[in-house]
Amino acid sequence: MMVATLKRFIPLFVLLGGLFWAPLSFADLPGIPAFTVQPGDGEGTQEYSVTLQILALMTALTFLPAMLMMMTSFTRIIVVFAILRQALGLQATPSNQILLGLALFLSIFIMKPVLEEANRVGLQPYLQEEVTSLEAVELASEPFKKFMLEQTREDDLALFMRIADVQYDTPQDVSFWILMPAFVTSELKTAFQIGFILFIPFLILDMVVASVLMAMGMMMLSPIIISLPFKIMLFVLVDGWALIMGTLAASYGI
């Protein structure tokens, strides 16, 4: 079901790529010569070219995965998962591929209302030829902008506004170029706060095991080797994965 949902929103992802190339959409730009065809009868040549609009779109698509990760809940989720693995003392389990997959599909679950709203107000009117491509990009970006503003701290937003030396009357007027780094900064700060809370019970367990080993005179034995099974057992007994995923979803109001 998640894969079907992802396929459904692929056109929306492509449309959002217009955030980078939209300023070129109405420009009367020359084409770049691609190749020349010469008929066999020698009547002349036919030259084919690639317009700069298409070139700009194809270039923007290479930045689309990074842009989508920075505009969604993916950053917070993957950082929390990485800190959790470190707190458990596991170096490569779960693997990076599994963590990325979990973060991706949990992000789709969290972002589904935003994606559906962007599809409703931006993509569908564009497919029905009710709005232009530039208007569709602006309409589709509004739900993402609202989501990012709700998760961005005011001090982070003020920081990048001060760096850029710009002022806005209302938060809704903030441009994407200011909002995106402020949003990512807030996401990282929140992820590290959640990670700190996750570390506490495992750290206490490590300290208890180290104290017991030292009292028994087994100072040459690494406490991590002994505490690892107990940390895994504790995590399983409290249904840790469900708690972590539920907490991450709840942190976005889901």
Side-chain angles (χ1 to χ4, degrees):
M1 181 177 244
M2 281 290 187
V3 175
T5 302
L6 183 59
K7 289 182 178 179
R8 176 184 173 189
F9 292 118
I10 285 177
L12 177 60
F13 295 156
V14 176
L15 181 64
L16 287 174
L19 286 173
F20 289 110
W21 67 276
L24 301 175
S25 58
F26 295 110
D28 187 13
L29 299 174
I32 299 177
F35 58 90
T36 302
V37 176
Q38 183 173 3
D41 54 8
E43 293 182 355
T45 60
Q46 181 70 36
E47 186 177 86
Y48 294 88
S49 63
V50 178
T51 61
L52 290 182
Q53 292 94 330
I54 296 177
L55 181 62
L57 174 60
M58 298 306 295
T59 303
L61 289 179
T62 61
F63 294 97
L64 190 58
M67 182 182 70
L68 290 175
M69 286 189 295
M70 296 297 102
M71 292 170 55
T72 64
S73 58
F74 184 86
T75 301
R76 182 187 302 185
I77 296 171
I78 193 62
V79 171
V80 170
F81 283 168
I83 294 176
L84 173 63
R85 185 172 66 178
Q86 187 71 24
L88 283 169
L90 301 172
Q91 300 301 320
T93 304
S95 64
N96 292 333
Q97 291 84 353
I98 294 177
L99 291 184
L100 288 171
L102 284 173
L104 176 61
F105 285 105
L106 185 57
S107 298
I108 295 173
F109 171 76
I110 293 173
M111 297 297 297
K112 187 176 180 181
V114 180
L115 294 173
E116 290 178 343
E117 180 65 15
N119 177 66
R120 184 183 67 83
V121 302
L123 181 59
Q124 293 304 319
Y126 174 72
L127 295 178
Q128 297 172 9
E129 299 183 354
E130 297 177 358
V131 295
T132 63
S133 60
L134 184 58
E135 292 173 342
V137 169
E138 294 177 352
L139 291 172
S141 64
E142 285 302 318
F144 284 89
K145 189 173 183 179
K146 179 181 177 182
F147 169 81
M148 294 165 68
L149 281 172
E150 290 175 350
Q151 306 300 326
T152 304
R153 292 178 170 83
E154 293 183 2
D155 53 346
D156 294 327
L157 193 59
L159 169 65
F160 286 95
M161 289 173 58
R162 185 169 63 252
I163 294 174
D165 195 19
V166 293
Q167 293 293 331
Y168 296 98
D169 296 332
T170 62
Q172 288 71 23
D173 297 333
V174 177
S175 68
F176 259 102
W177 310 109
I178 302 294
L179 178 58
M180 192 174 297
F183 170 74
V184 174
T185 304
S186 294
E187 287 292 283
L188 289 174
K189 189 179 299 183
T190 303
F192 275 85
Q193 290 175 346
I194 297 175
F196 170 75
I197 297 174
L198 287 176
F199 243 104
I200 293 177
F202 301 113
L203 181 61
I204 293 175
L205 187 56
D206 283 334
M207 294 174 62
V208 170
V209 171
S211 300
V212 172
L213 291 177
M214 185 173 293
M216 297 174 62
M218 305 175 65
M219 292 176 290
M220 300 301 295
L221 182 62
S222 175
I224 298 177
I225 300 177
I226 305 300
S227 64
L228 180 58
F230 291 99
K231 289 192 289 187
I232 295 176
M233 182 180 64
L234 174 64
F235 190 71
V236 172
L237 288 177
V238 300
D239 198 8
W241 286 113
L243 287 175
I244 296 300
M245 293 187 182
T247 300
L248 287 171
S251 67
Y252 288 99
I254 302 299

